[in-house]
Amino acid sequence: MAAHTGSAAIPADQVHVAMWALGETHLRRAQAQSKQGADGWKAHVVAGLACLYGVLRLCGSASERTRRFGAAAAVGADTEAKTRLRIAQVLGDWGDDTGEEERQLQRALLATPGGDAYAATRYAIVLAHSRMLARRGEGAWAAQRLRAAGGDAQQRRQHAWAQRLLLELANVCARGGDTRGAQDALQAAGAQAQQAGDAAFAAAVAVQQLALLVQQRDWAAAAALGARIESAQDLQTLSAPNVHVRFWVLRAAVAAARGTDDDASARARDALAQWQGAFARLRAGGGAADGGAQAAGVRGWSYYEAHAWAMLAAAGAQRGDGAYARAAGFLRLALEGVARGEADGLGVRLRALKAAVLLRVADANVAALFVGEARRALGRALASGAEKPAAALRWAMCCQRAGDVDAAAAAYACAAARGTRDVRVAALASLAVLAPARWLQALERETVGPGGAWAPERDTAAPGCDRAWAAALELARALACAEPVRAKAHVLACLRLGGDAALQGWALCALAEMVLRTGQYDHALKTCAAAQAIAQGAGDALQNAAAVGILARIEGAVGDAGRHAQLRGVARRLLQQFNGQISTGEEGGPSSHSLGSRSESALAVIH
């Protein structure tokens, strides 16, 4: 006896295939209706799941299939496992019942037959389970599952799966702050890629290693690795379009953080333009946004995510006159890209990215002292799911730059009490300058742990210590130190760590002050000139005024009264310009930005 759909008879051994296909049809309709804002998408999701659960019933005993269809409808040995995996994926995409999602994944793993022939199914289940655990905040369990599966794949010489699992392990470790674990996973993934002769994956791993250095704010090492990747590999031919875009976005982040001129942001937009044509053709051919990207071999970012990050990189690269207006234009383009992704049904996936873009909009307005615009951007970011401590940190920076120290201290304290470790360090760095007696020890504990195990003279850090965090800590220690020799040692340690350009500028100002007091006028002059160059490049009137003020004092100390008076006048005009920005909201241009908000926030330590 045969099952029927309409007038077409379906052979018993193909019923499960037809039910799966019908379920996927319902899910595609749900996606289409969700894009259009129609209300019927939920019914299609329910119908799609019903079809998949129907396939599970066919995966029961042979007697049950014979009773239903008059013949033992043949199903593959791993059909049950694949069906349960697909059900879990649908629940993860469309629902919030992680309990049922995890139950289906666990039962899928139990239903997978042993042997190498079904290893790919097992690894796909482990990958989906680890992502669900990471989404639920159980990163340690996710890493454990991935580490075991990756080792199994290496033993079975399943190189492609070993690479994917190790790369996912690196992502989980990086998100959880396990830098060493992420580095080890990436090294293992790179070794697998070389062993398999997979040059494209090796390029992707190298770019991921660059991303890890950017996350750590180790700008010198990131710049060196970026140069090696650019010179050693032809990313245009070796890897997928998203890897090209990501590489140049990361290079732009490094250039912005170091305050150097670089064409990386323009190269990122060029790579994005090349991807745009292929992406448009996929969409015109009926491919869904994520499905089409996956069909093109894209791993990682969707096109819309890459578009937004490329625009953020361009915004952070703007310098000089009119920088704020140009950066604002790129930030608007980033938001427009997110809006197009939302219209394509990717709103849930892009929610966190939208919040990140809005926080960058707030950063730009904080730097330009547009208080009202910054407040509105922070409100939109919170509505998009941004964390409240991250918003509080930016509001504190705005209050501090506007001179409202009490309000800034209260907001910093809120961010330090409730934020992630990155936010806590940035807030405590600023509080340590405002009130060192109360907050410096808290910053030391948060940054390098009990005992302050940071050895700047050997350029080594304790486990979990971030170089940019350590640089901010050293500058805070210098400003709080009453002993000139020790204070100078802390400033020099900050400069050796090579943090963000603006932080380095303030460290140079502090060093110029110190050597001026000891009569080393030539040294003070050179140091102050370097600080002024950083301030002028970033368009920071306050830092520029501080540098010019020190130059005036140097000229006064050497007896050049005319030059002394001239420079004092320049410093006063710069301070008036800064105060005018606060009172009138005139454009002053954003300070140096990097892709991550952490390094920008840390700069509030001096501003």
Side-chain angles (χ1 to χ4, degrees):
M1 185 168 126
H4 293 271
T5 300
S7 60
I10 301 175
D13 62 351
Q14 293 296 310
V15 172
H16 68 289
V17 177
M19 292 184 70
W20 186 302
L22 181 59
E24 292 297 332
T25 299
H26 280 294
L27 293 172
R28 284 194 297 271
R29 289 175 181 171
Q31 186 179 40
Q33 291 195 359
S34 176
K35 291 179 186 178
Q36 298 167 2
D39 295 331
W41 64 268
K42 292 182 180 179
H44 284 294
V45 172
V46 171
L49 283 171
C51 292
L52 292 171
Y53 278 107
V55 175
L56 283 183
R57 287 193 292 272
L58 294 178
C59 294
S61 65
S63 60
E64 174 67 12
R65 294 196 295 273
T66 301
R67 186 184 69 80
R68 287 177 176 271
F69 299 101
V75 296
D78 62 345
T79 298
E80 179 183 351
K82 289 180 177 179
T83 305
R84 292 190 184 279
L85 171 60
R86 183 61 181 133
I87 290 172
Q89 290 170 339
V90 173
L91 291 171
D93 290 340
W94 295 96
D96 55 4
D97 187 356
T98 58
E100 174 64 10
E101 181 184 356
E102 184 170 29
R103 188 177 75 87
Q104 290 295 336
L105 289 168
Q106 290 171 339
R107 294 189 65 180
L109 199 58
L110 291 173
T112 306
D116 291 347
Y118 303 102
T121 302
R122 284 196 300 276
Y123 299 146
I125 295 167
V126 170
L127 191 61
H129 194 193
S130 68
R131 288 173 176 169
M132 186 276 298
L133 290 171
R135 195 171 67 244
R136 206 165 63 184
E138 300 177 20
W141 285 106
Q144 182 178 349
R145 298 297 306 275
L146 289 166
R147 197 171 281 113
D152 182 76
Q154 291 180 58
Q155 289 181 354
R156 294 177 184 271
R157 306 183 72 82
Q158 298 270 355
H159 297 301
W161 271 107
Q163 292 167 191
R164 289 184 64 184
L165 292 165
L166 288 168
L167 191 58
E168 186 68 23
L169 173 61
N171 291 333
V172 169
C173 291
R175 285 194 294 268
D178 182 6
T179 302
R180 174 57 61 187
Q183 290 173 339
D184 292 343
L186 287 173
Q187 288 176 355
Q192 282 290 312
Q194 291 180 354
Q195 186 175 354
D198 190 343
F201 193 83
V205 170
V207 173
Q208 188 73 0
Q209 289 173 322
L210 177 61
L212 187 62
L213 290 173
V214 169
Q215 181 179 334
Q216 296 175 269
R217 273 76 50 83
D218 190 347
W219 305 121
L225 177 59
R228 288 200 300 273
I229 293 173
E230 184 179 0
S231 62
Q233 304 199 45
D234 185 359
L235 294 175
Q236 183 70 23
T237 58
L238 287 183
S239 55
N242 69 311
V243 179
H244 308 161
V245 178
R246 191 179 194 194
F247 171 71
W248 290 114
V249 165
L250 292 168
R251 288 292 302 275
V254 175
R258 303 181 80 200
T260 59
D261 292 329
D262 200 315
D263 65 346
S265 65
R267 300 283 292 273
R269 296 197 299 279
D270 290 343
L272 185 70
Q274 295 174 11
W275 187 3
Q276 184 178 17
F279 186 74
R281 288 191 294 275
L282 284 169
R283 295 190 67 215
D290 277 350
Q294 191 174 13
V298 173
R299 291 171 285 191
W301 294 353
S302 73
Y303 169 78
Y304 297 109
E305 289 172 318
H307 175 273
W309 285 114
M311 295 305 108
L312 290 178
Q318 303 308 308
R319 297 288 186 276
D321 294 338
Y324 172 81
R326 294 193 300 274
F330 284 116
L331 291 171
R332 282 194 296 271
L333 289 173
L335 287 172
E336 289 173 6
V338 173
R340 287 196 296 272
E342 290 174 333
D344 251 1
L346 298 173
V348 174
R349 181 175 178 182
L350 296 176
R351 181 178 172 84
L353 178 62
K354 182 177 182 179
V357 173
L358 287 167
L359 287 176
R360 287 293 303 278
V361 173
D363 289 337
N365 284 292
V366 166
L369 301 176
F370 288 127
V371 177
E373 291 293 332
R375 177 179 291 177
R376 281 189 286 274
L378 289 174
R380 292 179 63 194
L382 288 170
S384 297
E387 295 180 351
K388 291 182 179 179
L393 178 64
R394 286 161 170 81
W395 182 244
M397 293 170 63
C398 193
C399 292
Q400 185 174 358
R401 294 205 69 173
D404 192 347
V405 177
D406 292 338
Y412 281 134
C414 175
R418 302 178 184 177
T420 62
R421 189 181 182 198
D422 299 331
V423 171
R424 292 197 305 271
V425 170
L428 288 170
S430 297
L431 288 168
V433 173
L434 295 176
R438 180 179 177 187
W439 294 105
L440 184 56
Q441 287 186 349
L443 174 63
E444 290 173 339
R445 286 195 300 271
E446 190 66 60
T447 304
V448 294
W454 169 254
E457 68 279 359
R458 296 193 303 273
D459 197 26
T460 59
C465 182
D466 182 296
R467 292 177 68 89
W469 292 347
L473 171 61
E474 291 298 332
L475 187 53
R477 282 171 168 170
L479 296 173
C481 186
E483 300 179 21
V485 175
R486 288 184 59 193
K488 183 178 179 180
H490 287 308
V491 172
L492 292 174
C494 173
L495 292 170
R496 279 199 301 273
L497 287 165
D500 299 87
L503 185 65
Q504 295 287 290
W506 287 111
L508 288 168
C509 284
L511 180 61
E513 283 271 7
M514 294 173 185
V515 296
L516 173 59
R517 295 193 194 107
T518 61
Q520 302 175 61
Y521 300 132
D522 288 341
H523 188 186
L525 187 65
K526 293 176 182 177
T527 304
C528 203
Q532 188 181 18
I534 292 175
Q536 289 175 342
D540 191 327
L542 184 59
Q543 190 178 88
N544 199 5
V548 173
I550 299 170
L551 287 172
R553 291 169 54 196
I554 295 171
E555 296 296 346
V558 298
D560 192 336
R563 181 67 173 159
H564 170 73
Q566 181 184 5
L567 289 173
R568 281 178 59 87
V570 173
R572 279 195 298 270
R573 286 195 297 274
L574 287 168
L575 285 174
Q576 289 169 358
Q577 175 188 339
F578 177 78
N579 292 328
Q581 290 172 223
I582 298 174
S583 60
T584 66
E586 291 177 359
E587 178 187 332
S591 299
S592 176
H593 294 345
S594 69
L595 278 178
S597 63
R598 297 190 297 175
S599 51
E600 294 144 83
S601 346
L603 302 187
V605 56
I606 298 295
H607 285 224

